[in-house]
Amino acid sequence: DIQMTQSPSSLSASVGDRVTITCRASQSISSYLNWYHQKPGKAPKLLIYRASSLQSGVPSRFSGSGSGTDFTLTISSLQPEDFATYYCQQSHSTPPTFGGGTKVEIK
Amino acid sequence: VQLQQSGPGLVKPSQTLSLTCAISGDTVSSNSAAWNWIRQSPSRGLEWLGRTYYRSKWYSEYAISVKSRININPDTSKNQISLHLKSVTPEDTAVYYCVRDLRKNTAMVDDDFDVWGQGTMVTVSS
């Protein structure tokens, strides 16, 4: 199975901050990388697919980049509703696997 | 599209965990969708369990970790899927999600999970 590693595991930020989360795959996955966020007690929500494509309805402050093994999720200006846990997931090969998560907390 | 999950929240060790996912706004036999079960626990994180989908015939695929114990079945008459996980242990305690993957190209599946059910917390305990 492909292992997905996220960093950091948690971060503190303020409203309006630019936030960057990284994800590394244990082998090349081309651009087959998705990003989700999850709020407490809720299901994950798809934000970005194929590394950089914005899912319909997701605000443009979210963006993704990368290919191969290294990927980045950027939130250009953090909003109150963005405080959540973020997960990456590879869709390159079966089984699809997820990173361990990055918790974004209020500073 | 909505996925409405149902099933018991408590299962005894060695018994079978059974959950149902009712689909509205899409069809279980769509050639463009795959229907997955994913679970989440503090110890194992988000873990894909398996999927079923229709591409001129029915396919089911499962994670190796549960392959000997799992069945995911479509029910076209009720437009739903079910999960059966037998011989459960406390390690199977988790929130279970029914999840859609809507493919965007010619691949059999995309594994882009765009619609999630509300989640069902299942505890395995005597």
Side-chain angles (χ1 to χ4, degrees), chain B residues 95-113:
Chain B
V95 178
Y96 286 74
Y97 292 102
C98 171
V99 187
R100 185 182 79 165
D101 160 28
L102 186 66
R103 67 174 180 159
K104 304 172 190 64
N105 52 41
T106 57
M108 293 286 267
V109 296
D110 277 356
D111 285 338
D112 303 336
F113 302 123

Side-chain angles (χ1 to χ4, degrees), chain A:
Chain A
D1 297 0
I2 297 175
Q3 306 304 313
M4 307 301 295
T5 304
Q6 290 181 233
S7 61
S9 56
S10 66
L11 64 90
S12 296
S14 300
V15 172
D17 283 354
R18 182 182 182 88
V19 169
T20 298
I21 298 168
T22 63
C23 178
R24 175 165 288 178
S26 60
Q27 65 187 72
S28 178
I29 57 171
S30 184
S31 296
Y32 292 96
L33 192 282
N34 301 328
W35 289 100
Y36 303 81
H37 74 184
Q38 183 180 32
K39 298 180 182 179
K42 300 294 187 181
K45 176 185 175 183
L46 180 64
L47 302 173
I48 302 280
Y49 63 95
R50 292 292 185 277
S52 60
S53 295
L54 199 64
Q55 175 69 358
S56 175
V58 174
S60 59
R61 64 180 179 272
F62 291 94
S63 64
S65 64
S67 66
T69 60
D70 295 308
F71 301 87
T72 299
L73 173 71
T74 299
I75 309 171
S76 60
S77 177
L78 199 66
Q79 298 302 300
E81 59 269 30
D82 301 336
F83 292 96
T85 301
Y86 290 77
Y87 295 95
C88 61
Q89 172 242 326
Q90 65 83 15
S91 57
H92 178 271
S93 53
T94 300
T97 48
F98 294 81
T102 296
K103 187 172 185 179
V104 177
E105 298 175 301
I106 302 172
K107 183 183 286 185

Side-chain angles (χ1 to χ4, degrees), chain B residues 10-32:
Chain B
L10 181 64
V11 182
K12 289 182 168 49
S14 80
Q15 294 192 342
T16 297
L17 180 164
S18 296
L19 297 175
T20 299
C21 173
I23 301 162
S24 57
D26 201 345
T27 58
V28 68
S29 54
S30 165
N31 264 294
S32 299

